[in-house]
Coordinates of all heavy atoms in Angstrom, one line a residue:
N706 N 126.6 107.7 57.3 CA 125.4 107.3 57.9 C 125.2 105.8 57.8 O 125.1 105.3 56.7 CB 124.2 108.1 57.3 CG 122.9 107.9 58.0 OD1 122.5 106.8 58.2 ND2 122.2 109.0 58.3
S707 N 125.1 105.1 58.9 CA 125.1 103.7 58.9 C 123.8 103.1 58.3 O 123.8 102.0 57.8 CB 125.2 103.1 60.3 OG 124.2 103.5 61.1
A708 N 122.7 103.9 58.3 CA 121.4 103.4 57.7 C 121.3 103.7 56.3 O 120.7 102.9 55.5 CB 120.3 104.0 58.5
T709 N 121.8 104.9 55.8 CA 121.5 105.3 54.4 C 122.7 105.2 53.5 O 122.5 105.2 52.3 CB 121.1 106.8 54.4 OG1 122.1 107.6 54.9 CG2 119.8 107.0 55.3
G710 N 123.9 105.1 54.1 CA 125.1 105.0 53.2 C 125.6 106.4 52.8 O 126.5 106.5 51.9
E711 N 125.0 107.5 53.3 CA 125.4 108.8 52.9 C 126.7 109.2 53.6 O 126.9 108.9 54.8 CB 124.4 109.8 53.3 CG 123.1 109.7 52.5 CD 122.0 110.6 53.0 OE1 121.9 110.9 54.2 OE2 121.1 111.0 52.2
I712 N 127.7 109.7 52.9 CA 129.0 110.1 53.4 C 129.0 111.7 53.5 O 128.8 112.3 52.5 CB 130.1 109.6 52.5 CG1 130.1 108.1 52.5 CG2 131.5 110.1 53.1 CD1 131.1 107.4 51.6
F713 N 129.4 112.2 54.7 CA 129.4 113.6 54.9 C 130.8 114.1 55.2 O 131.6 113.3 55.7 CB 128.5 114.0 56.1 CG 127.0 113.7 55.8 CD1 126.4 112.5 56.1 CD2 126.2 114.7 55.2 CE1 125.1 112.2 55.9 CE2 124.9 114.5 55.0 CZ 124.3 113.2 55.3
L714 N 131.0 115.4 55.0 CA 132.3 116.0 55.4 C 132.2 116.4 56.8 O 131.2 117.0 57.2 CB 132.6 117.2 54.5 CG 133.9 117.9 54.7 CD1 135.1 117.0 54.4 CD2 134.0 119.2 53.9
K715 N 133.1 115.9 57.6 CA 133.1 116.1 59.1 C 134.1 117.2 59.5 O 133.9 118.0 60.4 CB 133.3 114.8 59.8 CG 133.3 114.9 61.3 CD 133.6 113.5 61.8 CE 133.7 113.5 63.3 NZ 134.0 112.1 63.9
G716 N 135.3 117.1 58.9 CA 136.4 118.0 59.3 C 136.8 118.9 58.1 O 136.0 119.1 57.2
K717 N 138.0 119.4 58.2 CA 138.5 120.4 57.2 C 139.4 119.7 56.2 O 140.2 118.9 56.5 CB 139.2 121.5 57.9 CG 139.7 122.6 57.0 CD 140.4 123.7 57.7 CE 140.8 124.8 56.8 NZ 141.5 125.9 57.5
L718 N 139.2 120.0 54.9 CA 140.0 119.5 53.8 C 141.2 120.4 53.6 O 141.2 121.6 53.8 CB 139.2 119.4 52.5 CG 138.0 118.5 52.5 CD1 137.2 118.7 51.2 CD2 138.4 117.1 52.7
D719 N 142.3 119.8 53.3 CA 143.6 120.5 53.0 C 144.3 120.0 51.8 O 144.9 118.9 51.9 CB 144.5 120.4 54.3 CG 145.7 121.4 54.2 OD1 146.0 121.9 53.1 OD2 146.2 121.7 55.3
Y720 N 144.1 120.7 50.7 CA 144.7 120.2 49.4 C 146.2 120.1 49.5 O 146.8 119.1 48.9 CB 144.3 121.1 48.3 CG 144.9 120.9 47.0 CD1 144.3 119.9 46.1 CD2 146.1 121.5 46.6 CE1 144.9 119.7 44.9 CE2 146.7 121.2 45.4 CZ 146.1 120.3 44.5 OH 146.7 120.1 43.3
E721 N 146.8 121.0 50.2 CA 148.3 121.0 50.3 C 148.8 119.8 51.0 O 149.9 119.3 50.7 CB 148.8 122.3 51.0 CG 148.7 123.5 50.2 CD 147.3 124.0 49.9 OE1 146.4 123.8 50.8 OE2 147.0 124.5 48.8
N722 N 148.1 119.2 51.9 CA 148.5 118.0 52.6 C 148.1 116.7 51.9 O 148.8 115.8 51.8 CB 148.0 118.0 54.1 CG 148.7 119.0 55.0 OD1 149.9 119.2 54.7 ND2 148.0 119.5 55.9
F723 N 146.8 116.7 51.5 CA 146.3 115.5 50.8 C 145.3 115.9 49.7 O 144.3 116.5 49.9 CB 145.5 114.6 51.8 CG 146.3 114.0 52.9 CD1 146.2 114.6 54.1 CD2 147.1 112.9 52.7 CE1 147.0 114.1 55.2 CE2 147.8 112.4 53.7 CZ 147.8 112.9 55.0
A724 N 145.8 115.7 48.4 CA 144.9 116.0 47.3 C 143.9 115.0 47.0 O 142.9 115.2 46.3 CB 145.8 116.2 46.1
T725 N 144.1 113.7 47.5 CA 143.1 112.6 47.3 C 143.0 111.8 48.6 O 144.0 111.6 49.3 CB 143.6 111.7 46.2 OG1 143.6 112.5 44.9 CG2 142.6 110.6 46.0
H726 N 141.8 111.4 48.9 CA 141.5 110.5 50.0 C 140.8 109.3 49.5 O 139.9 109.4 48.6 CB 140.6 111.2 51.1 CG 141.3 112.3 51.8 ND1 142.3 112.1 52.7 CD2 141.0 113.7 51.8 CE1 142.7 113.3 53.2 NE2 141.9 114.2 52.6
E727 N 141.1 108.1 50.0 CA 140.4 106.9 49.6 C 139.8 106.3 50.8 O 140.5 106.0 51.8 CB 141.4 105.9 49.0 CG 141.9 106.3 47.6 CD 142.8 105.3 46.9 OE1 143.3 104.4 47.6 OE2 142.9 105.4 45.7
L728 N 138.5 106.1 50.8 CA 137.7 105.6 51.9 C 137.2 104.2 51.5 O 136.5 104.0 50.5 CB 136.5 106.5 52.2 CG 136.8 107.9 52.5 CD1 135.5 108.7 52.5 CD2 137.5 108.0 53.8
D729 N 137.6 103.2 52.3 CA 137.1 101.8 52.1 C 135.9 101.6 52.9 O 135.9 101.8 54.1 CB 138.2 100.8 52.4 CG 139.3 100.8 51.4 OD1 139.0 101.1 50.2 OD2 140.4 100.4 51.8
I730 N 134.8 101.1 52.3 CA 133.5 100.8 53.0 C 133.5 99.3 53.2 O 133.8 98.5 52.3 CB 132.3 101.3 52.1 CG1 132.5 102.7 51.6 CG2 131.0 101.1 52.9 CD1 132.7 103.7 52.7
S731 N 133.0 98.9 54.4 CA 132.9 97.5 54.7 C 132.0 96.8 53.6 O 130.9 97.3 53.4 CB 132.3 97.3 56.1 OG 133.2 97.8 57.1
G732 N 132.5 95.7 53.0 CA 131.7 95.0 52.0 C 132.2 95.2 50.6 O 131.5 95.2 49.7
H733 N 133.5 95.5 50.4 CA 134.1 95.6 49.1 C 133.6 96.8 48.3 O 133.0 96.7 47.2 CB 133.9 94.3 48.3 CG 134.4 93.1 49.0 ND1 135.7 92.8 49.3 CD2 133.6 92.1 49.6 CE1 135.7 91.7 50.0 NE2 134.5 91.2 50.2
C734 N 133.8 98.0 48.8 CA 133.5 99.2 48.1 C 134.5 100.3 48.5 O 134.9 100.4 49.7 CB 132.0 99.7 48.4 SG 131.5 101.2 47.7
R735 N 134.8 101.2 47.6 CA 135.8 102.3 47.8 C 135.2 103.6 47.3 O 134.6 103.6 46.2 CB 137.1 101.9 47.2 CG 138.2 103.1 47.3 CD 139.5 102.6 46.9 NE 140.1 101.7 47.9 CZ 141.3 101.2 47.8 NH1 142.1 101.5 46.8 NH2 141.7 100.3 48.8
V736 N 135.5 104.6 48.1 CA 135.1 106.0 47.7 C 136.4 106.8 47.5 O 137.1 106.9 48.5 CB 134.1 106.6 48.7 CG1 133.8 108.1 48.3 CG2 132.9 105.8 48.8
Q737 N 136.6 107.3 46.3 CA 137.8 108.2 46.1 C 137.4 109.6 46.1 O 136.5 110.0 45.3 CB 138.4 107.8 44.8 CG 139.7 108.6 44.4 CD 140.3 108.2 43.1 OE1 140.6 107.0 42.9 NE2 140.6 109.2 42.3
V738 N 137.9 110.4 47.0 CA 137.6 111.8 47.1 C 138.8 112.7 46.6 O 139.9 112.7 47.2 CB 137.3 112.2 48.6 CG1 136.9 113.7 48.6 CG2 136.2 111.3 49.1
D739 N 138.6 113.3 45.5 CA 139.6 114.2 44.9 C 139.3 115.7 45.3 O 138.2 116.1 45.1 CB 139.7 114.1 43.4 CG 140.1 112.7 42.9 OD1 141.0 112.1 43.5 OD2 139.5 112.2 41.9
I740 N 140.3 116.4 45.8 CA 140.1 117.7 46.3 C 140.7 118.7 45.3 O 141.9 118.5 44.8 CB 140.8 117.9 47.7 CG1 140.3 116.8 48.6 CG2 140.6 119.3 48.2 CD1 141.1 116.8 49.9
T741 N 140.0 119.7 45.0 CA 140.5 120.8 44.1 C 141.0 121.9 45.0 O 140.4 122.3 46.0 CB 139.3 121.3 43.2 OG1 138.2 121.8 44.0 CG2 138.9 120.2 42.2
D742 N 142.1 122.6 44.5 CA 142.8 123.6 45.3 C 141.9 124.9 45.4 O 141.2 125.2 44.5 CB 144.1 123.9 44.7 CG 145.0 124.8 45.5 OD1 144.8 124.7 46.8 OD2 145.8 125.5 45.0
F743 N 142.1 125.5 46.6 CA 141.4 126.8 46.8 C 142.5 127.8 47.2 O 143.5 127.5 47.9 CB 140.4 126.7 48.0 CG 139.8 128.0 48.4 CD1 138.9 128.6 47.6 CD2 140.1 128.5 49.6 CE1 138.3 129.8 48.0 CE2 139.5 129.7 50.0 CZ 138.6 130.4 49.2
N744 N 142.4 129.0 46.7 CA 143.4 130.0 46.8 C 143.4 130.6 48.3 O 142.9 131.7 48.5 CB 143.2 131.1 45.8 CG 144.4 132.1 45.8 OD1 145.5 131.8 46.3 ND2 144.2 133.3 45.3
D745 N 143.9 129.7 49.2 CA 143.8 130.1 50.6 C 145.2 130.4 51.2 O 145.3 130.5 52.4 CB 143.2 129.0 51.4 CG 143.8 127.6 51.2 OD1 144.7 127.5 50.3 OD2 143.5 126.7 52.0
N746 N 146.2 130.5 50.3 CA 147.6 130.8 50.8 C 148.1 132.0 50.1 O 148.1 132.1 48.9 CB 148.5 129.6 50.6 CG 148.1 128.4 51.4 OD1 148.4 128.3 52.6 ND2 147.5 127.4 50.8
A747 N 148.6 133.0 50.9 CA 149.2 134.2 50.3 C 150.7 133.8 49.9 O 151.3 133.0 50.4 CB 149.3 135.3 51.4
P748 N 151.2 134.5 48.8 CA 152.5 134.3 48.4 C 153.5 134.7 49.5 O 153.3 135.6 50.3 CB 152.7 135.2 47.2 CG 151.6 136.2 47.3 CD 150.5 135.6 48.0
E749 N 154.6 134.0 49.6 CA 155.6 134.2 50.6 C 157.0 134.5 49.9 O 157.4 133.8 49.0 CB 155.7 133.0 51.5 CG 156.7 133.1 52.6 CD 156.8 131.8 53.5 OE1 156.0 130.9 53.2 OE2 157.6 131.8 54.4
I750 N 157.6 135.5 50.4 CA 159.0 135.9 49.9 C 160.0 135.2 50.8 O 160.0 135.4 52.1 CB 159.2 137.4 49.9 CG1 158.2 138.0 48.9 CG2 160.6 137.7 49.5 CD1 158.2 139.5 48.8
V751 N 160.9 134.5 50.3 CA 162.0 133.8 51.0 C 163.3 134.3 50.6 O 163.7 134.4 49.4 CB 161.9 132.3 50.8 CG1 163.0 131.6 51.6 CG2 160.5 131.8 51.2
F752 N 164.2 134.8 51.5 CA 165.5 135.2 51.2 C 166.4 133.9 51.2 O 166.5 133.2 52.1 CB 166.1 136.1 52.3 CG 165.5 137.5 52.2 CD1 164.4 137.9 53.1 CD2 166.0 138.4 51.3 CE1 163.9 139.1 53.0 CE2 165.4 139.7 51.3 CZ 164.4 140.1 52.1
T753 N 167.0 133.7 50.0 CA 167.8 132.5 49.9 C 169.3 132.8 50.3 O 170.1 131.9 50.4 CB 167.8 132.0 48.4 OG1 168.3 133.1 47.6 CG2 166.4 131.6 48.0
S754 N 169.6 134.1 50.6 CA 170.9 134.4 51.1 C 170.7 135.7 52.0 O 169.8 136.4 51.8 CB 171.9 134.7 50.0 OG 171.5 135.8 49.3
Q755 N 171.7 135.9 52.9 CA 171.6 137.0 53.8 C 172.0 138.3 53.0 O 173.0 138.3 52.2 CB 172.6 136.8 55.0 CG 172.1 135.8 56.0 CD 170.9 136.2 56.7 OE1 170.6 137.4 56.9 NE2 170.0 135.2 57.1
P756 N 171.3 139.4 53.2 CA 171.7 140.6 52.5 C 173.1 141.1 53.0 O 173.4 141.0 54.1 CB 170.6 141.6 53.0 CG 169.5 140.8 53.4 CD 170.1 139.6 54.0

Side-chain angles (χ1 to χ4, degrees):
N706 187 308
S707 61
T709 64
E711 296 172 328
I712 298 176
F713 295 90
L714 184 62
K715 179 181 178 182
K717 185 178 180 181
L718 299 174
D719 191 341
Y720 174 85
E721 285 68 34
N722 286 330
F723 297 100
T725 298
H726 293 291
E727 290 185 343
L728 303 170
D729 288 334
I730 312 299
S731 297
H733 308 292
C734 176
R735 173 169 290 182
V736 178
Q737 179 177 312
V738 182
D739 295 321
I740 304 171
T741 57
D742 189 27
F743 176 69
N744 190 19
D745 56 348
N746 292 286
E749 181 181 357
I750 298 176
V751 179
F752 288 98
T753 58
S754 65
Q755 291 292 331

